[in-house]
Amino acid sequence: MIKYVRNIMISNFEVVNLLDGVQKVMDFSLTIGQNYFPVLDNDRLVGVITICELLATHPNRIIADAMSKEYVVVSAKDSIWSAVNIIEENNADFLFVIEKGSLVGVVKRTDLLVEISKYFDPLTCLYKSNYLYYQAGKLIKEGKEISIIFIDINNFGQIDKEYGHARGDTVLKELALILKESIRKDMFLCRYGGDEFVILSTYSERQSKEFSIKLQSMVSSKTYSGEIELGISVGIAGGRRGTTREEKPIILVRNLLNLASLASTQAKTKSNKLHIEKYLNIESTA
C-alpha cells in the first residue's frame, strides 16, 4: 500500500574515492553516463561530486578538492512521501540512502516524482487513499487526534444514467475542486474511489460535525455541469481518543476509514445526511 525508499532506490550505481583524480572520474562519467557520484573514504560516505563540479575543477586535481560535503540522506525504511518532503525541502536532485551507517542506494528526484504521480487520481487531480494512510499514520505517531470525514455523493448512479458518464465525470471534477477549496490547511483530502471522497483532520468529533454541516451546505448551494444539483452524505469516525493505541497506525486508520464509510451509508437514511459513528469495534480510537 505505502511504498518505501527501499522499493524504488537504485542499488546499482558507481562510487568514487576521495583521492581519485578529477580527469579520471570525468572520463569515467562520460563512459558510463552517470553524472553524479557518491564520494567514499574507506567505505564511508564523505561527499558528492557532480559533472558540474568536475567541469569547474582543473583535471589535475583530486576529487577531495572538487567535491561538495553538502548532500542529503534518507533511510531505506522511510516512505516515499517522506522522501518527497526531504527532497523538496532541500531542493535536491537526489538522495543517498543510508542503512546501518552504510550507503546502500540512491533515489533520484525524477524517479521519485514519477512514483508519486501514480498516487494521483487523474480525473480529479486529488491524491488517492495511499496519501491519506501516510498522513494519518504520521499524525498518530506524533500523538495527535485524528478524524475521518467520509463523503459520498447522493444518487450519483442516477446522475450517470440520466446525463451520461462524461457529465458524471465533470460533476466529480467540479465537486473535487469545491472540496479542495473548502478544506483548511490542517486537513488532507483524497478521492477514495468512485463518487467517494475522504477528508482527514485533527479535529474533535464536534469540530468535524460543524465543518461537515458547512460543507454540505456549500455543496448543495451550487449547480454542477451547468444544471445538476448535488447533495452529499457524510460519515464521521474518530475524534475521541482512547487510552491506548494500536501498535500499527495503519490498522487504526483502516478501521477508522471503514467506520466512517459505514457511517456515510447510514447517513443516507437520515434527513440531514450526516452520521457520526459511535460504535468502535477496535481496541483504540483516535
Side-chain angles (χ1 to χ4, degrees):
M1 182 175 293
I2 299 177
K3 280 196 173 183
Y4 298 91
V5 168
R6 64 173 172 265
N7 301 130
I8 66 167
M9 70 182 187
I10 301 169
S11 299
N12 184 23
F13 58 94
E14 299 292 342
V15 302
V16 297
N17 188 274
L18 188 72
L19 300 179
D20 283 340
V22 166
Q23 186 62 60
K24 172 186 173 182
V25 175
M26 174 67 79
D27 293 342
F28 188 44
S29 174
L30 294 174
T31 300
I32 66 172
Q34 184 173 314
N35 58 10
Y36 64 89
F37 295 93
V39 181
L40 302 186
D41 182 20
N42 294 322
D43 295 327
R44 181 173 62 90
L45 180 65
V46 294
V48 59
I49 185 78
T50 67
I51 190 69
C52 292
E53 289 157 336
L54 289 169
L55 290 169
T57 306
H58 193 281
N60 291 337
R61 306 299 291 270
I62 61 174
I63 293 301
D65 299 326
M67 74 176 193
S68 170
K69 295 181 180 180
E70 301 295 326
Y71 53 88
V72 187
V73 301
V74 66
S75 168
K77 298 178 181 178
D78 284 340
S79 72
I80 59 172
W81 304 104
S82 296
V84 166
N85 290 337
I86 292 170
I87 211 164
E88 293 294 349
E89 288 171 2
N90 291 276
N91 193 28
D93 291 324
F94 47 82
L95 304 173
F96 291 144
V97 185
I98 302 295
E99 195 166 37
K100 296 180 180 180
S102 298
L103 177 66
V104 295
V106 176
V107 176
K108 295 191 294 185
R109 171 189 283 267
T110 51
D111 292 343
L112 192 56
L113 294 181
V114 166
E115 186 62 36
I116 287 294
S117 70
K118 299 176 184 177
Y119 298 93
F120 275 95
D121 171 50
L123 177 66
T124 63
C125 296
L126 298 179
Y127 280 112
K128 296 180 182 179
S129 60
N130 306 70
Y131 178 70
L132 193 81
Y133 275 95
Y134 164 69
Q135 292 292 356
K138 184 179 176 183
L139 291 171
I140 291 170
K141 289 178 181 178
E142 292 172 355
K144 295 180 179 178
E145 179 179 16
I146 67 169
S147 289
I148 300 292
I149 299 173
F150 201 100
I151 300 164
D152 194 350
I153 300 175
N154 299 330
N155 303 315
F156 185 73
Q158 187 60 38
I159 293 173
D160 266 349
K161 288 180 182 178
E162 185 174 346
Y163 296 96
H165 290 288
R167 294 281 291 279
D169 285 349
T170 299
V171 169
L172 289 173
K173 288 191 286 186
E174 291 176 357
L175 176 60
L177 182 60
I178 290 173
L179 295 177
K180 191 173 183 179
E181 291 174 345
S182 301
I183 63 170
R184 296 160 188 172
K185 291 182 179 180
D186 53 355
M187 291 178 159
F188 304 95
L189 169 67
C190 77
R191 183 185 181 191
Y192 195 72
D195 61 338
E196 299 169 334
F197 300 84
V198 173
I199 296 173
L200 165 71
S201 77
T202 56
Y203 287 8
S204 66
E205 181 182 289
R206 177 185 59 80
Q207 291 172 315
S208 295
K209 180 179 179 180
E210 291 174 352
F211 173 81
S212 297
I213 291 172
K214 291 179 181 178
L215 188 62
Q216 285 178 309
S217 178
M218 181 176 294
V219 169
S220 62
S221 69
K222 301 179 182 297
T223 56
Y224 300 80
S225 189
E227 59 181 316
I228 301 172
E229 295 184 349
L230 209 62
I232 55 174
S233 294
V234 179
I236 298 171
R240 293 181 288 125
R241 181 181 300 171
T243 56
T244 60
R245 286 202 180 273
E246 293 278 357
E247 289 185 4
K248 293 184 178 181
I250 193 171
I251 296 175
L252 174 58
V253 177
R254 185 184 297 124
N255 284 328
L256 284 176
L257 275 167
N258 184 54
L259 289 172
S261 173
L262 293 173
S264 72
T265 301
Q266 184 68 21
K268 288 181 179 294
T269 66
K270 296 187 172 185
S271 58
N272 65 354
K273 304 299 182 186
L274 178 66
H275 181 71
I276 300 174
E277 183 54 62
K278 299 289 186 180
Y279 174 69
L280 298 179
N281 59 353
I282 48 180
E283 295 177 4
S284 59
T285 64

